[in-house]
Amino acid sequence: MDSYEITANAKLNLFLRVRGILPNGYHSLYSVMQEIDLADTLTVNIYPERKNGFDIKCIGRNDIDPEKNLCRKARDRFFSSLRKKASTDPSVPNAKLWKKGNFPNIEIVLTKVIPSESGMGGGSSDAAATLMVLQEHFGNPFTDEELNQLAVNVGADVPFFLYGGTCLCESVGEEIRQLESLSGIPLLIVKPSKGVSTPECFHAIDSKPLPEFDEKRYEEYMDVLSSADKEPLDRFLEGKDLLTNDLEMPSVESVPEIAEAIDALISTGAKFSRMTGSGSAVFAMYDDYFARDSAYEKIKADPKFAGFDVFVSKTI
């Protein structure tokens, strides 16, 4: 048996714009994604002596159907792509074996911290971690470009987690531009007990005209983010009027507690607060850790937020 342990960090959409629907039916997005230190942990055990099995065990959260877990989809897509590549490229390590579909048994023990239906990419991060383990174990059979394409076929957010840090993600999510790091910003995250269904959220926004998108201004802002002249939070807030999330309004209609959480976080002295992804988690940025920790105590003591998940975190 070969065993691997890997951390799968969550992400935030620092802003998210929807630019339309692509010919393949997916939405075209424009978003800066940011890796944070809140994370799941995976132990991946690979048993060469057993063939073609898969088992996943989740610890910590019980709201994930093992049959729908994106780690399973990542494993299936990886093996399918490896079998196809091994059939045409004899330079792939152990090509003769893989083209016959004789793959080892995979067992994953997943310790969940990132909540589901939060817009924090927990399932996508777990899937990316699975792909990275398999890529290493099987001798790096795929190029970076091939692995990126494999990842987007697992889920729209999965390619970002192959990069991490601070990235501009476009199209479905596979067009990625790495930006100057925004690491070290203190964060407070509030996740209402009710989640938001991503498909339902996108369906709701499709029924309304898309908000205006000023491409030139966003490109100028990307240049600001890519400079290292100022502290990360100051650079980020240079484009404060651009930092909208087009999915926030339909998500608030479904979960009004999202708006209540944003208002409460702003009242604690946060410099910025926004919903991430399709929600329902809300994040807030602070000048320093003392201000963040004081805000944490206020939110935890507020009976309005009983039953909510509240996390202290930071950008990485």
Side-chain angles (χ1 to χ4, degrees), residues 93-157:
N94 296 313
K96 290 183 179 179
L97 185 61
W98 308 141
K99 71 181 182 180
K100 294 178 181 179
N102 294 322
F103 295 110
N105 178 283
I106 307 293
E107 175 189 76
I108 296 177
V109 179
L110 173 58
T111 302
K112 288 294 298 180
V113 174
I114 305 167
S116 301
E117 292 191 336
S118 64
M120 298 170 70
S124 296
S125 186
D126 298 339
T130 301
L131 291 178
M132 288 188 280
V133 165
L134 295 177
Q135 172 79 340
E136 177 184 345
H137 180 80
F138 287 93
N140 300 297
F142 299 110
T143 65
D144 289 347
E145 183 177 339
E146 288 170 337
L147 194 64
N148 189 68
Q149 188 57 51
L150 200 165
V152 79
N153 286 331
V154 176
D157 289 342

Side-chain angles (χ1 to χ4, degrees), residues 215-284:
E215 189 162 358
K216 184 175 184 295
R217 289 199 63 210
Y218 275 103
E219 276 303 310
E220 291 170 349
Y221 178 55
M222 289 306 108
D223 291 339
V224 172
L225 284 184
S226 297
S227 69
D229 296 340
K230 298 180 180 180
E231 291 297 310
L233 182 55
D234 293 332
R235 276 190 284 125
F236 175 68
L237 293 178
E238 284 278 326
K240 198 167 184 178
D241 62 316
L242 299 174
L243 305 177
T244 59
N245 182 342
D246 290 339
L247 300 180
E248 192 170 294
M249 187 176 295
S251 295
V252 168
E253 290 173 359
S254 173
V255 184
E257 293 88 346
I258 292 170
E260 294 174 12
I262 292 173
D263 290 342
L265 289 166
I266 291 295
S267 73
T268 65
K271 294 298 181 180
F272 180 80
S273 184
R274 181 70 68 232
M275 187 188 79
T276 177
S278 60
S280 61
V282 169
F283 67 94

Side-chain angles (χ1 to χ4, degrees), residues 27-96:
H27 289 82
S28 176
L29 306 179
Y30 187 96
S31 179
V32 168
M33 292 191 190
Q34 175 65 51
E35 189 177 14
I36 64 174
D37 67 351
L38 190 71
D40 296 338
T41 304
L42 290 83
T43 299
V44 183
N45 299 318
I46 301 177
Y47 298 91
E49 68 278 10
R50 306 179 195 170
K51 299 301 179 186
N52 294 322
F54 181 82
D55 183 58
I56 185 164
K57 178 182 180 182
C58 285
I59 301 170
R61 293 187 181 272
N62 300 316
D63 56 353
I64 302 170
D65 183 347
E67 293 299 317
K68 297 179 181 179
N69 193 294
L70 285 183
C71 294
R72 177 184 293 276
K73 188 174 181 181
R75 173 260 190 193
D76 291 347
R77 293 295 172 89
F78 186 93
F79 282 166
S80 175
S81 298
L82 181 55
R83 184 175 187 177
K84 183 177 180 180
K85 186 167 185 178
S87 298
T88 58
D89 184 355
S91 69
V92 172
N94 296 313
K96 290 183 179 179

